Amino acid sequence: MTSSPWFLRDAQGPERAARVYCFPHAGGNPRSFLSWQHDMGDDAEIVAVCPPGRGPRYKETAAVDVPELAERAAAAIAETADRPFVLFGHSFGAVLAFEVARRIGALPDFRHLVASGCSAPSLLPTRRVVAAARLEGRAFTEAVGFFGGLPPEVVADEALQELLLPHLKADFSMVAGYTYRPAAPLDVPVTLVNGVDDPHVKEAGLEPWARECAGEPVRHWAEGGHFYFDGRPGAVTDLLRPLVRAEHGANPLARTHIEVI
């Protein structure tokens, strides 16, 4: 894993018995997940997935669509799967984690998918995302503001937008071009976590997730909007810790239940 450009991790601390591979939202910085390691402690190692063209891989050619990116990420994970692991993805990252899960379902160490801030894949892309992906410049910035997550200084500064928004625009275009294809349900348990005030994801949008899982997905609602975990990573890590702990105990992951609100 230390030699793979796909993964960012905190090499400090003890060897951990499980991993959580984290997929960022559209335009998100994978490194932001590394701050979660403190909350996870020794229960699992947080591993941020860094696609080509992002972060330290900025000089590499980015993937052109979700299937290509999922295929390459799945191959990288399969090469490092030497212990139980969970996939976590937020928003665009949840779509990508879902498609990766479809490709690595046969790996015995793959134990759980946690999809955050994301309607069921069969409902994607939404009309709002498709419309936003067609916009440019200030109009795109304002449209993306609906989802939250853009710092005020970026919204107010066109120079910062020119620097930071191309990756966001590319990811929005990738989601806008996503084509859902029916497939066999996932064998691993699935947990859905969303903000109660998220204007983009509602209860009805989660219903079709049930068709993607062999068992009924567990739903959690956290206080906040689309980026409900900003400033409070415990909204996610408080869910992740019991999942990975259960893997080493008597209770199966699928029976874990945590109340977030």
Side-chain angles (χ1 to χ4, degrees), residues 66-149:
V66 172
E68 177 194 351
L69 186 53
E71 288 285 352
R72 296 170 66 181
I77 290 173
E79 290 177 359
T80 61
D82 59 355
R83 66 198 67 188
F85 67 89
V86 172
L87 300 185
F88 170 85
H90 179 68
S91 199
F92 166 65
V95 180
L96 181 56
F98 165 72
E99 289 292 343
V100 169
R102 282 181 155 186
R103 290 159 170 78
I104 62 172
L107 293 179
D109 283 326
F110 177 32
R111 305 301 171 82
H112 210 104
L113 169 65
V114 180
S116 167
C118 188
S119 297
S122 60
L123 301 180
L124 303 178
T126 64
R127 287 182 292 179
R128 186 178 289 271
V129 167
V130 172
R134 293 172 178 163
L135 301 175
E136 301 290 343
R138 184 71 185 181
F140 174 72
T141 303
E142 293 176 352
V144 171
F146 168 81
F147 301 95

Side-chain angles (χ1 to χ4, degrees), residues 1-259:
M1 170 165 288
T2 56
S3 62
S4 175
W6 278 92
F7 307 121
L8 305 176
R9 52 195 281 270
D10 182 359
Q12 304 300 316
E15 187 79 0
R16 297 169 176 94
R19 289 195 183 108
V20 180
Y21 292 94
C22 299
F23 295 79
H25 60 273
N29 181 359
R31 288 190 183 279
S32 64
F33 290 120
L34 300 186
S35 64
W36 294 6
Q37 186 63 66
H38 179 269
D39 280 5
M40 290 300 296
D42 295 337
D43 288 323
E45 179 183 33
I46 291 291
V47 179
V49 179
C50 184
R54 303 290 188 268
R57 306 180 70 187
Y58 71 94
K59 291 184 178 180
E60 299 180 41
T61 302
V64 298
D65 55 35
V66 172
E68 177 194 351
L69 186 53
E71 288 285 352
R72 296 170 66 181
I77 290 173
E79 290 177 359
T80 61
D82 59 355
R83 66 198 67 188
F85 67 89
V86 172
L87 300 185
F88 170 85
H90 179 68
S91 199
F92 166 65
V95 180
L96 181 56
F98 165 72
E99 289 292 343
V100 169
R102 282 181 155 186
R103 290 159 170 78
I104 62 172
L107 293 179
D109 283 326
F110 177 32
R111 305 301 171 82
H112 210 104
L113 169 65
V114 180
S116 167
C118 188
S119 297
S122 60
L123 301 180
L124 303 178
T126 64
R127 287 182 292 179
R128 186 178 289 271
V129 167
V130 172
R134 293 172 178 163
L135 301 175
E136 301 290 343
R138 184 71 185 181
F140 174 72
T141 303
E142 293 176 352
V144 171
F146 168 81
F147 301 95
L150 280 181
E153 59 270 23
V154 174
V155 176
D157 191 325
E158 291 187 3
L160 279 176
Q161 293 173 29
E162 291 180 4
L163 177 65
L164 300 177
L165 293 189
H167 291 164
L168 178 59
K169 183 71 161 61
D171 286 348
F172 259 74
S173 296
M174 202 180 298
V175 177
Y178 174 69
T179 300
Y180 169 81
R181 301 186 188 282
L186 299 175
D187 288 332
V188 299
V190 175
T191 291
L192 309 176
V193 55
N194 296 275
V196 293
D197 297 320
D198 189 339
H200 186 56
V201 181
K202 299 299 183 183
E203 184 79 31
L206 301 180
E207 296 293 341
W209 266 109
R211 298 198 294 267
E212 311 301 337
C213 320
E216 185 70 20
V218 176
R219 303 185 195 181
H220 296 289
W221 294 94
E223 294 180 356
H226 191 60
F227 291 94
Y228 61 89
F229 50 80
D230 272 0
R232 47 189 298 267
V236 176
T237 56
D238 286 352
L239 290 173
L240 293 175
R241 284 198 313 274
L243 294 183
V244 296
R245 285 174 182 169
E247 186 52 36
H248 304 293
N251 296 325
L253 289 171
R255 295 179 186 174
T256 302
H257 179 79
I258 301 293
E259 187 61 51

